[in-house]
Amino acid sequence: MRFTRAEYCVIACAEAWRGAGEVLASPMGLIPSLGARLARLTFAPDLLLTDGEALLVRPDGTPEGWLPYRQHLELVAGGRRHVMMGASQLDRYGNQNISCVGDWALPRRQLLGVRGAPLNTLNNPTSYWVPRHSRRVFVERVDMVCGVGYDRVAGLGGAARFHRLARVVTDLGVFDFATADHSMRLVSVHPGVSVEQVREATGFPLAVPDDVPFTREPGAQEVRLIREVLDPAGARAREVPEGTGS
Amino acid sequence: MGDKTMTAEEVVSRLASGMTLGIGGWGSRRKPMALVRALLRSDIGDLTVVSYGGPDVGMLAAAGRIRRLVTAFVTLDSIPLEPHYRAARERGGFALTEVDEGMFQCGLRAAAQRLPFLPVRAGLGSDVMRVNPDLRTVTSPYADGETLVAMPALRLDAALVHVNRADRLGNGQYLGPDPYFDDLFCEAADAAYVSCEQIVDTAGLTKGAAPQSLLLKRLSVTGVVEAPNGAHFTSCAPEYGRDEEFQRWYATTPWPEFAARFLGSDEAAYRAAVRDWRKEEERKEEER
């Protein structure tokens, strides 16, 4: 069977929640949402999911709890959560920017603002999803540190004890920070992507092991769930179209 | 017990240029838009606006009424980036205090509890510390010795919020899934003005609704305005969802054109203008 790039991305996102246990999965973006729900329906059945607003819901939509924003913020501070955020910029130590591009005082492009990124990154495991891997996103230095990277927590002492950047998933591959200096490392490339292509699209030196595996294929049950249950209309192809990738 | 009902114009008459104004709701959700529109019809400006920002911020920024904005984000939800806010930021239209969502909540809480600050882990290591050079840290006096952010109280001169129902005394009720932070905004403010879809008798509040839906206590509410559809074009569940078509028009129309067409007269004129706009759009749709 042939799988689309978007389907590899869904699998790679789902894997972020493997072994997470009974915590809230907070995916932002379509493909991370598909990944979280896929994980919940297969190898991570204890995950909690929201309806995107104030309800905790089972995969069929049945409400099982209440989580308004005020409680969501408390829950983040309590740490029982793994969030996958987007990133307008991301650097080699995992500093993330969603606030603005250029000088903060008079930005060239105003974006969302820091949102909850400072809170998230100091309190619960954080992953990132980047649908278009490019040098515009993967930069040497982000313009505004919203999500906190490993070099920035080094001096924080005890307040940094809950900081963990689990993985970065892009349309080209999967990355983590499991190097001696916590700089970003290539973990796998999606089938059809070369290591050289990833290096080319990354604006800083990337840690690359000698052997880079391919991102795993979806299993038969996973493909069925993605195509027939979670995203029958194929919206995933709009977030990661075929024939792109850098 | 006093009747606190008033008009949106009376609310605005109690506000003044230079005030620090908290605005409830969240993004493009249950924003006190009728009160914001009344504010836009006045000449009040030079405001410090404290808001989980949505079109309330976009409109006030476009109209040049903001001196400083305190926020964690500004978004229209279904349109991620608020175009009028963006434009104002990119031309240096006002000063910005950018903090994290959790820090923001802490600041309101500190104000509500009359504390100078509350400790919070969020913000450390991020550029929130760089762009807010006045922010200080506080060190735990206990064995852990942990250093945390001392988020200062976000004390407000006035708060504007919108809920589903209220009585004349200022007891306010939300009927949707999320209270957002409207009670905190009211408690953090010297004066709080609540608009609602409907004013009901006090006994009517708990007919068919649980007591925990009574979000706002009259002791922290100064004025009550009956403003049906008063959150338009943001959502006000369960009464109505976001008016996505109108929001899209707001987001894609030059501000002077939007303001001239919708913000000239009063709330009744606004509603009439929205009805006319809708008819016009439907006509265009039929012609296509």
Side-chain angles (χ1 to χ4, degrees):
Chain A
M1 197 187 297
R2 196 185 165 278
F3 306 109
T4 66
R5 182 68 61 78
E7 286 163 351
Y8 283 107
C9 291
V10 172
I11 290 296
C13 287
E15 286 290 337
W17 286 283
R18 187 182 286 277
E22 198 160 19
V23 303
L24 178 70
S26 285
M28 297 175 193
L30 174 74
I31 283 180
S33 296
L34 295 174
R37 288 163 68 203
L38 182 67
R40 165 69 181 79
L41 287 170
T42 55
F43 54 76
D46 293 334
L47 284 178
L48 285 80
L49 296 166
T50 76
D51 65 347
E53 303 228 359
L55 294 180
L56 293 167
V57 291
R58 299 171 57 87
D60 65 359
T62 307
E64 62 167 333
W66 185 51
L67 192 70
Y69 282 124
R70 57 180 62 198
Q71 286 192 15
H72 203 143
L73 296 177
E74 308 278 354
L75 189 148
V76 176
R80 293 182 179 275
R81 177 175 181 258
H82 184 146
V83 62
M84 184 175 278
M85 283 189 283
S88 305
Q89 293 178 328
L90 201 62
D91 75 16
R92 65 186 303 195
Y93 296 108
N95 296 292
Q96 168 249 29
N97 177 17
I98 47 173
S99 170
C100 64
V101 176
D103 179 10
W104 178 87
L106 190 64
R108 197 159 68 245
R109 276 175 69 81
Q110 173 63 41
L111 305 174
L112 267 179
V114 295
R115 288 223 68 156
L119 179 74
N120 290 339
T121 44
L122 281 205
N123 285 286
N124 59 207
T126 301
S127 292
Y128 291 108
W129 161 243
V130 176
R132 204 64 50 87
H133 192 129
S134 77
R135 284 173 175 261
R136 276 182 59 190
V137 177
F138 291 94
V139 294
E140 190 64 53
R141 254 214 171 103
V142 303
D143 293 334
M144 169 87 178
V145 175
C146 304
V148 181
Y150 279 102
D151 55 339
R152 291 292 201 109
V153 291
L156 292 184
R161 66 193 188 281
F162 307 120
H163 178 267
R164 183 167 81 85
L165 304 182
R167 59 168 55 196
V168 178
V169 180
T170 78
D171 60 335
L172 298 186
V174 179
F175 308 80
D176 66 14
F177 299 90
T179 50
D181 66 347
H182 289 298
S183 65
M184 202 170 95
R185 175 183 78 154
L186 179 57
V187 172
S188 70
V189 288
H190 305 322
V193 176
S194 71
V195 171
E196 204 38 54
Q197 193 182 344
V198 176
R199 274 208 179 98
E200 196 51 45
T202 306
F204 53 78
L206 190 63
V208 179
D210 293 339
D211 287 309
V212 179
F214 287 115
T215 304
R216 79 164 173 90
E217 291 186 349
Q221 189 204 2
E222 290 172 325
V223 183
R224 188 186 63 79
L225 285 169
I226 295 171
R227 294 181 182 175
E228 293 171 25
V229 178
L230 296 174
D231 185 27
R236 61 193 177 279
R238 284 201 295 277
E239 195 159 88
V240 174
E242 283 306 276
T244 61
S246 91
Chain B
M1 284 184 288
D3 185 326
K4 294 175 184 165
T5 54
M6 55 178 76
T7 64
E9 284 66 33
E10 282 174 285
V11 171
V12 171
S13 74
R14 290 158 173 254
L15 306 177
S17 291
M19 274 189 171
T20 296
L21 195 61
I23 303 179
W26 170 285
S28 189
R29 304 173 196 204
R30 203 153 48 70
K31 284 284 176 180
M33 297 303 284
L35 296 181
V36 170
R37 286 188 282 270
L39 185 59
L40 284 165
R41 291 192 294 268
S42 78
D43 56 6
I44 291 171
D46 197 33
L47 294 167
T48 293
V49 172
V50 179
S51 173
Y52 286 109
D56 53 329
V57 168
M59 286 184 165
L60 290 168
R65 308 301 180 89
I66 304 180
R67 182 180 61 81
R68 174 173 291 277
L69 175 69
V70 181
T71 197
F73 59 80
V74 181
T75 180
L76 295 174
D77 292 308
S78 51
I79 302 171
L81 304 180
E82 217 294 346
H84 299 301
Y85 165 70
R86 293 189 70 178
R89 263 286 276 162
E90 289 167 13
R91 65 171 181 264
F94 52 82
L96 179 64
T97 296
E98 184 169 1
V99 296
D100 167 272
E101 285 170 26
M103 294 172 73
F104 189 107
Q105 182 188 23
C106 253
L108 287 180
R109 238 193 227 141
Q113 297 173 25
R114 300 180 298 176
L115 293 169
F117 69 89
L118 277 171
V120 56
R121 199 177 289 117
L124 293 169
S126 78
D127 275 345
V128 164
M129 305 307 285
R130 171 174 67 89
V131 302
N132 294 291
D134 294 339
L135 266 182
R136 295 288 174 265
T137 57
V138 61
T139 301
S140 164
Y142 299 106
D144 55 88
E146 205 167 302
T147 295
L148 299 159
V149 174
M151 179 62 199
L154 291 171
R155 193 70 208 171
L156 311 169
D157 294 315
L160 307 178
V161 306
H162 183 80
V163 295
N164 300 88
R165 300 197 298 196
D167 66 12
R168 295 175 167 273
L169 308 174
N171 295 303
Q173 180 174 46
Y174 78 106
L175 296 171
D178 200 320
Y180 309 121
F181 300 84
D182 290 354
D183 48 344
L184 274 181
F185 275 99
C186 292
E187 290 160 18
D190 292 343
Y193 302 98
V194 180
S195 60
C196 62
E197 291 297 313
Q198 190 189 2
I199 290 179
V200 298
D201 291 342
T202 305
L205 291 169
T206 41
K207 264 185 212 142
Q212 58 267 35
S213 63
L214 293 166
L215 183 67
L216 310 178
K217 294 162 193 43
R218 60 184 166 84
L219 53 78
S220 56
V221 171
T222 312
V224 180
V225 178
E226 190 172 53
N229 223 23
H232 182 265
F233 48 93
T234 70
S235 65
C236 186
E239 252 102 3
Y240 46 90
R242 187 177 304 124
D243 187 342
E244 298 288 2
E245 293 76 27
F246 190 80
Q247 172 164 288
R248 207 171 306 125
W249 202 82
Y250 157 78
T252 52
T253 302
W255 173 252
E257 187 184 330
F258 182 88
R261 182 159 178 187
F262 293 103
L263 303 172
S265 175
D266 59 7
E267 187 66 11
Y270 171 79
R271 271 181 251 158
V274 172
R275 274 196 301 275
D276 290 347
W277 172 84
R278 178 149 294 116
K279 272 187 214 134
E280 204 175 282
E281 290 300 299
E282 280 162 9
R283 244 192 336 266
K284 276 190 214 159
E285 190 60 40
E286 278 163 27
E287 279 163 21
R288 253 179 251 141

